[in-house]
Amino acid sequence: MADVEEQGRTQSEEFTDESEEEDSEEEPKLKYERLSNGVTEILQKDAASCMTVHDKFLALGTHFGKVFLLDIQGNVTQKFEISSVKINQISLDESGEHVGICSEDGKVQVIGLYTREGFHENFDCPIKVVALHPQFSRSNYKQFVTGGNKLLLYERNWLNRWKTSVLHEGEGSITNIQWRANLIAWSNNVGVKIYDIGTKQRITNVLRDNISLRPDMYPCSLCWKDNCTLIVGWGTSIKICVVKERNPTEMRDLPSRYVEIVSAFETEFFISGLAPLADQLVTLYFVKENSDQMDEEFRARPRLDIIQPLPESCEEISSDALTVRNFQDNECRDYRLEHSDGESLFYMISPKDIVVAKERDQDDHIDWLLEKKKYEEALMAAEISFKNIKRHDVQKIGMAYINHLVEKGDYDSAARKCQKVLGKNMELWENEVYRFKTIGQLKAISQYLPRGDLRLRPAIYEMILHEFLKTDYEGFATLIREWPGELYNNMAIVQTVTDHLRRDPTNRTLLTTLAELYTYDQRYDRALEIYLRLRHKDVYQLIHKHNLFSSIEDKIVLLMDFDKEKAVDMLLDNEDKISTDRVVEELADRPELLHVYLHKLFKRDHHKGQKYHGRQIVLYAEYDRPNLLPFLRDSTHCPLEKALEVCQQRNFVEETVFLLSRMGNCRRALQMIMEELEDVDKAIEFAKEQDDAELWEDLISYSIDKPPFITGLLNNIGTHVDPILLIYRIKEGMEIPNLRDSLVKILQDYNLQILLREGCKKILVADSLSLLQKMHRTQMRGVRLDGGSTSFVFCCVSDMAKPFSVVVFHCRHMFHKECLPSSGLLPGVQFCNICSAKKRGPGSGILEMNK
């Protein structure tokens, strides 16, 4: 349980707690203010007895019989002298246009605040409660109820006279009435009843649990959560009752509605008031505690709790002890809790004090976080609710957070927060930079300074760069890389770096940074010199980006010594800027580099460097023999005689074999393979490529006295040369390795060839038969003729009245049979004269028709 102190005095008197506040990490749910202004003066001379709340105003009744209408700040707007004794109850309709008042001396009044109509009645007994119909102003019947010894219903009839009905009596004084829609709930000494004004039926009776408590000292608290949910608090017991419609089949003589108690539980203290808060309850408790010195009870400060009702218990959400004036003199019946549905305002009324509680908003949440020094959460909350909080408030929170981090010594976090907090306020930025300089932490804030469209003065950035130059060359270099050159005076920084290099001329970090500064200043030649001197990887990027090819013509060797691959790629990509002849000239004294360049040039285009192909033969032979043979194969411009001479001098057999074959001396090439390489497989492969019978004869002649060579030939010669020629020439008695396997392979290859031929033959026969059948079916089809016309006969015009025979060819040409010549060379076969003349071949399948 936390003690509560007032958090401001904007509209009401400061509400303070006389005891020391407990240090709790749990944030309060409500905030409190004491209602003052006119209320303070009233309660100095009088005492509050009751109050009711409307969204627009408050109505306060006193022990001296007065009723005050107040605005929400507590200022008196209207005053009514009702009686000389205590006002027991005030009731307002929903529109706030009529007020009902009852007093201890039996007076009941209904007053129209904006009309002259009203009701005045004096009873011979105290009237404890009065309740207007929620729609009193709009209803024609003007209904209201009063409670004394009886529950009376007043309503105006059609003659404009007041009619009285007794709704209930005989169970003691009526102590509380709450009217919601068509339901009237009231309490007496026995329990709580609910009456349906629409059906004129009483629908429930909720008995009082603790009958030992005096109902006048511990009165019942009633409040409607909605049109069907009634909350009952009596003594230490709370019940939540839901009014439900009864099933028509179960109705009989029972009311159409019934009540179900959905939650019932006991509390630790006595209940003085109840109010709904969403699905939770706000409860006002009267507290008695035992004295430590004497064995007796004393009245403690009242408590305002928020609880979550459960079916048989409740969960405490928050609990606040309230220091109201004269709480030591108050009884349970002296406290009341009223609430405003519109703004979730809760009014705790006691004789000498009225305290207002309201839900804490985002500003209150942020204030609490700041009080607990939870600056990070406060800043996040402020940014989330940015639309509802002024920008300077967010900055105020952020600055408090930055100050807190600096005090803790967490300079990096403080500097990081500057980005978010200071935003576009350049003045605040400069102030923070100077503060960080004062505490020796310029490095911490350097990486977070503005560097976009909004910038600080150049002197600020230069001050930080000078600070880094004194102690941290690497950090200085990082800033130069990250910061745009426009942030500071580039020439001034170049001069400073140059001064430092005089003391440390070989410092690689300073040299690299100086080159970057020269680049920013567009002095690219100086930057290039430094990069080449350092062999820096960015030299190629610098050349490309700023088109410095004219500056590197005499530095090609340096570039290639640094990175051959990158240098060659760059030179080849920019042949229009540095010609091949210029590169070859520069690399003339470095043949190993020249070879790398010419090799990549040849790979890109076999014809571009053709005039250097003769030179490349020697370069390949000297530095890159594995690529010599591919070069010889792909080049159509290299001098073969020179290539052969070079290869023979170095005894490059494979290359020599290739050149001999290319120059037409295949027999010498084959001889070298057999004699120098002694590789029968390569010899066979060479013979296959050349496909020359004389070469096969030479290969067989050379191999006939070498059993391993014979085995190789037997395994590979079958598809090119008849193996019998080789087998006949093998000397009788010669032992040949794996002869059996070689012969089996020859037979298998032969069988495979036979099978392939037979398979091809079957396919050919099947296809021929299929096509013949298709042609036969086509020629057997009928041909449609127009018998009534002679325009299709291509020979003569005859008398159509006489019978005649017609010959129709499959090309659709028709002739009289008598007009066709004899069959000629092929008996029984006739040809279309027209198609034969056009050399389109004969018509097939002749149809004869008699007509």
Side-chain angles (χ1 to χ4, degrees):
M1 181 177 69
D3 297 336
V4 179
E5 293 187 359
E6 172 55 25
Q7 301 165 26
R9 49 186 307 174
T10 56
Q11 69 179 31
S12 47
E13 182 182 344
E14 185 178 9
F15 179 65
T16 59
D17 190 344
E18 294 177 3
S19 64
E20 187 175 347
E21 183 179 3
E22 297 178 12
D23 185 16
S24 173
E25 286 300 317
E26 185 176 352
E27 183 178 359
K29 303 297 181 184
L30 301 171
K31 62 179 179 178
Y32 301 87
E33 294 175 342
R34 176 168 279 121
L35 195 60
S36 59
N37 297 325
V39 172
T40 304
E41 184 179 351
I42 293 171
L43 298 185
Q44 285 174 352
K45 302 174 183 179
D46 203 341
S49 61
C50 61
M51 192 174 84
T52 190
V53 178
H54 191 270
D55 292 341
K56 300 176 182 176
F57 61 92
L58 313 174
L60 173 64
T62 71
H63 281 260
F64 289 172
K66 298 179 178 60
V67 173
F68 297 90
L69 298 186
L70 314 168
D71 61 17
I72 3 195
Q73 282 81 27
N75 299 300
V76 177
T77 60
Q78 202 166 351
K79 176 182 176 182
F80 300 95
E81 298 278 354
I82 303 297
S83 173
S84 60
V85 295
K86 175 184 174 184
I87 301 295
N88 285 329
Q89 181 69 42
I90 301 173
S91 176
L92 294 168
D93 65 348
E94 287 183 357
S95 66
E97 296 179 8
H98 288 80
V99 56
I101 305 167
C102 65
S103 60
E104 191 68 19
D105 58 1
K107 289 183 179 179
V108 176
Q109 295 188 24
V110 177
I111 303 171
L113 298 179
Y114 307 104
T115 63
R116 293 184 177 181
E117 64 176 349
F119 173 87
H120 301 272
E121 187 69 49
N122 291 323
F123 294 87
D124 56 0
C125 66
I127 302 299
K128 298 295 183 181
V129 284
V130 63
L132 302 184
H133 190 293
Q135 301 296 327
F136 184 91
S137 298
R138 300 178 182 177
S139 171
N140 293 327
Y141 297 105
K142 306 297 182 185
Q143 295 172 315
F144 67 93
V145 291
T146 62
N149 295 328
K150 302 175 183 180
L151 181 66
L152 298 177
L153 171 65
Y154 293 83
E155 55 185 338
R156 184 176 287 173
N157 61 20
W158 63 279
L159 295 175
N160 206 27
R161 295 179 181 177
W162 290 99
K163 174 187 174 183
T164 305
S165 304
V166 177
L167 299 183
H168 187 70
E169 63 180 333
E171 292 183 357
S173 296
I174 308 297
T175 57
N176 198 345
I177 301 175
Q178 294 294 326
W179 194 333
R180 181 76 173 245
N182 286 330
L183 298 177
I184 304 173
W186 73 92
S187 63
N188 55 30
N189 294 350
V190 176
V192 175
K193 281 79 174 169
I194 300 178
Y195 182 82
D196 189 338
I197 196 73
T199 61
K200 301 187 183 303
Q201 293 176 314
R202 197 175 74 185
I203 59 178
T204 191
N205 181 20
V206 181
L207 297 177
R208 180 160 63 106
D209 290 336
N210 191 345
I211 60 175
S212 64
L213 296 174
R214 290 174 52 184
D216 60 330
M217 297 297 293
Y218 297 91
C220 176
S221 296
L222 299 175
C223 73
W224 288 98
K225 178 181 179 182
D226 52 45
N227 289 349
C228 296
T229 306
L230 177 67
I231 305 169
V232 180
W234 208 334
T236 59
S237 172
I238 293 179
K239 294 178 181 175
I240 301 178
C241 309
V242 178
V243 179
K244 297 186 176 181
E245 297 290 337
R246 195 183 300 275
N247 192 320
T249 60
E250 302 174 354
M251 195 169 297
R252 300 176 186 173
D253 297 331
L254 299 174
S256 61
R257 290 176 164 183
Y258 69 98
V259 168
E260 179 182 345
I261 298 176
V262 296
S263 176
F265 52 89
E266 293 292 319
T267 61
E268 184 179 358
F269 306 106
F270 297 107
I271 299 162
S272 293
L274 295 168
L277 178 63
D279 62 338
Q280 299 171 344
L281 286 181
V282 179
T283 57
L284 178 61
Y285 291 129
F286 170 70
V287 181
K288 284 186 177 181
E289 295 181 355
N290 293 321
S291 174
D292 295 335
Q293 290 78 18
M294 297 176 291
D295 188 15
E296 61 180 23
E297 291 184 332
F298 68 95
R299 296 160 187 162
R301 291 173 298 163
R303 280 179 34 166
L304 191 71
D305 287 11
I306 299 177
I307 61 174
Q308 178 67 58
L310 303 173
E312 297 180 355
S313 63
C314 67
E315 178 184 350
E316 183 182 287
I317 305 300
S318 71
S319 179
D320 299 325
L322 309 177
T323 306
V324 298
R325 295 189 183 100
N326 300 341
F327 67 87
Q328 302 90 341
D329 302 329
N330 295 336
E331 297 285 351
C332 182
R333 64 183 178 183
D334 294 323
Y335 295 110
R336 296 196 182 200
L337 178 64
E338 298 290 339
H339 73 283
S340 170
D341 294 328
E343 298 183 13
S344 293
L345 295 174
F346 305 93
Y347 295 83
M348 280 83 43
I349 301 100
S350 66
K352 289 295 182 180
D353 210 352
I354 299 176
V355 176
V356 186
K358 63 172 65 175
E359 288 188 276
R360 295 168 63 86
D361 57 18
Q362 189 72 353
D363 287 330
D364 300 314
H365 173 60
I366 292 170
D367 289 339
W368 182 83
L369 291 172
L370 291 173
E371 180 184 341
K372 297 298 179 181
K373 296 188 177 181
K374 297 182 178 182
Y375 297 100
E376 179 73 20
E377 296 177 41
L379 190 58
M380 289 177 62
E383 289 172 345
I384 291 172
S385 56
F386 173 74
K387 293 182 180 179
N388 300 320
I389 298 180
K390 295 180 180 178
R391 177 62 186 168
H392 72 269
D393 291 334
V394 177
Q395 282 188 340
K396 181 179 178 182
I397 294 167
M399 290 304 299
Y401 187 21
I402 292 172
N403 294 337
H404 172 69
L405 293 173
V406 170
E407 290 172 5
K408 282 175 54 179
D410 191 354
Y411 303 113
D412 186 69
S413 298
R416 192 182 312 116
K417 290 301 170 188
C418 287
Q419 261 187 328
K420 183 183 293 187
V421 173
L422 305 183
K424 301 178 180 179
N425 192 321
M426 297 298 106
E427 182 180 352
L428 285 179
W429 266 111
E430 294 195 5
N431 291 341
E432 285 304 303
V433 171
Y434 283 115
R435 178 165 76 154
F436 273 73
K437 179 185 179 183
T438 303
I439 60 178
Q441 293 296 328
L442 274 178
K443 290 183 179 180
I445 201 172
S446 62
Q447 56 184 319
Y448 304 110
L449 293 181
R451 60 184 76 171
D453 295 335
L454 293 171
R455 299 172 182 177
L456 306 179
R457 291 182 295 110
I460 300 294
Y461 300 100
E462 292 168 17
M463 176 178 68
I464 294 175
L465 290 174
H466 284 297
E467 181 70 21
F468 271 88
L469 261 179
K470 293 177 185 177
T471 57
D472 185 1
Y473 286 164
E474 292 295 335
F476 173 77
T478 301
L479 290 183
I480 293 298
R481 283 194 298 272
E482 294 178 352
W483 286 0
E486 300 83 14
L487 294 179
Y488 47 85
N489 186 331
N490 196 66
M491 291 301 297
I493 301 301
V494 167
Q495 186 59 48
T496 305
V497 174
T498 305
D499 293 341
H500 279 263
L501 280 171
R502 290 194 184 99
R503 298 191 292 270
D504 188 4
T506 60
N507 189 291
R508 186 177 181 86
T509 302
L510 287 180
L511 286 170
T512 303
T513 308
L514 182 60
E516 292 173 357
L517 290 168
Y518 280 138
T519 302
Y520 295 149
D521 206 31
Q522 299 184 2
R523 291 187 280 179
Y524 303 120
D525 290 344
R526 292 195 177 185
L528 182 61
E529 290 176 6
I530 296 175
Y531 278 143
L532 287 173
R533 173 183 167 188
L534 297 175
R535 296 194 173 190
H536 196 280
K537 60 182 179 61
D538 290 344
V539 64
Y540 300 101
Q541 181 182 354
L542 181 71
I543 295 169
H544 277 290
K545 186 174 181 180
H546 302 291
N547 196 19
L548 303 179
F549 295 99
S550 60
S551 302
I552 64 167
E553 288 187 350
D554 57 345
K555 300 178 179 65
I556 294 175
V557 174
L558 290 175
L559 287 169
M560 292 195 67
D561 281 339
F562 174 35
D563 190 328
K564 297 183 185 65
E565 298 298 322
K566 281 189 177 181
V568 171
D569 287 340
M570 180 186 70
L571 293 170
L572 293 177
D573 290 340
N574 296 275
E575 289 183 78
D576 56 329
K577 300 179 179 69
I578 302 180
S579 66
T580 301
D581 294 339
R582 176 63 174 166
V583 176
V584 172
E585 180 183 347
E586 286 293 319
L587 297 177
D589 297 333
R590 296 290 297 276
E592 75 280 6
L593 299 180
L594 178 60
H595 166 67
V596 174
Y597 173 78
L598 291 175
H599 172 65
K600 280 209 168 188
L601 176 64
F602 179 75
K603 284 293 185 182
R604 289 199 178 191
D605 190 329
H606 294 343
H607 307 288
K608 273 192 176 180
Q610 58 182 342
K611 66 179 179 180
Y612 301 111
H613 284 194
R615 193 171 181 179
Q616 280 186 269
I617 296 171
V618 178
L619 293 174
Y620 276 112
E622 188 69 29
Y623 301 106
D624 190 11
R625 185 190 170 184
N627 283 312
L628 174 58
L629 186 57
F631 171 74
L632 295 174
R633 285 198 181 107
D634 295 338
S635 174
T636 57
H637 306 287
C638 69
L640 298 180
E641 293 81 2
K642 181 178 180 180
L644 181 62
E645 180 184 353
V646 171
C647 292
Q648 287 177 338
Q649 288 175 355
R650 289 169 170 76
N651 197 26
F652 292 170
V653 178
E654 291 186 19
E655 291 81 355
T656 302
V657 168
F658 170 76
L659 290 169
L660 288 172
S661 65
R662 187 169 174 182
M663 297 170 70
N665 196 350
C666 295
R667 301 186 71 178
R668 174 59 184 151
L670 179 63
Q671 182 182 358
M672 289 190 68
I673 295 173
M674 301 294 291
E675 293 178 355
E676 299 189 30
L677 295 179
E678 297 183 351
D679 189 341
V680 65
D681 293 330
K682 187 168 286 189
I684 293 170
E685 188 66 30
F686 181 78
K688 287 179 180 179
E689 289 177 359
Q690 304 302 322
D691 196 20
D692 187 344
E694 292 184 3
L695 282 181
W696 283 110
E697 180 63 29
D698 291 344
L699 180 56
I700 293 172
S701 299
Y702 183 84
S703 304
I704 203 65
D705 59 347
K706 300 177 180 62
F709 278 40
I710 293 176
T711 301
L713 286 171
L714 289 173
N715 288 334
N716 294 282
I717 202 174
T719 56
H720 296 274
V721 179
D722 188 352
I724 298 300
L725 298 176
L726 174 62
I727 294 172
Y728 281 156
R729 297 177 64 175
I730 298 174
K731 294 179 180 179
E732 191 172 339
M734 178 181 289
E735 184 175 344
I736 300 172
N738 301 318
L739 177 61
R740 177 180 176 278
D741 295 339
S742 300
L743 294 175
V744 169
K745 186 176 185 303
I746 290 173
L747 294 175
Q748 288 176 340
D749 290 344
Y750 178 74
N751 288 334
L752 179 62
Q753 290 182 8
I754 296 300
L755 289 173
L756 286 173
R757 289 178 182 177
E758 290 178 354
C760 292
K761 181 180 178 182
K762 288 179 181 179
I763 293 171
L764 182 61
V765 170
D767 286 349
S768 300
L769 179 60
S770 174
L771 293 172
L772 179 62
Q773 291 173 344
K774 182 177 180 181
M775 182 182 72
H776 183 261
R777 286 194 302 271
T778 302
Q779 292 180 346
M780 291 296 293
R781 290 175 183 167
V783 178
R784 183 171 180 270
L785 298 175
D786 187 355
S789 173
T790 59
S791 59
F792 295 98
V793 179
F794 292 92
C795 51
C796 64
V797 179
S798 61
D799 188 357
M800 296 298 295
K802 296 180 180 180
F804 58 89
S805 297
V806 177
V807 176
V808 182
F809 291 91
H810 280 282
C811 58
R812 301 296 190 270
H813 293 133
M814 295 187 301
F815 299 90
H816 291 113
K817 185 175 182 180
E818 294 80 4
C819 297
L820 286 174
S822 61
S823 55
L825 298 177
L826 297 175
V829 178
Q830 289 182 323
F831 300 95
C832 173
N833 293 340
I834 297 174
C835 294
S836 297
K838 294 180 179 180
K839 297 182 180 181
R840 291 174 56 189
S844 59
I846 302 172
L847 299 179
E848 293 189 11
M849 295 181 60
N850 294 325
K851 185 177 179 181

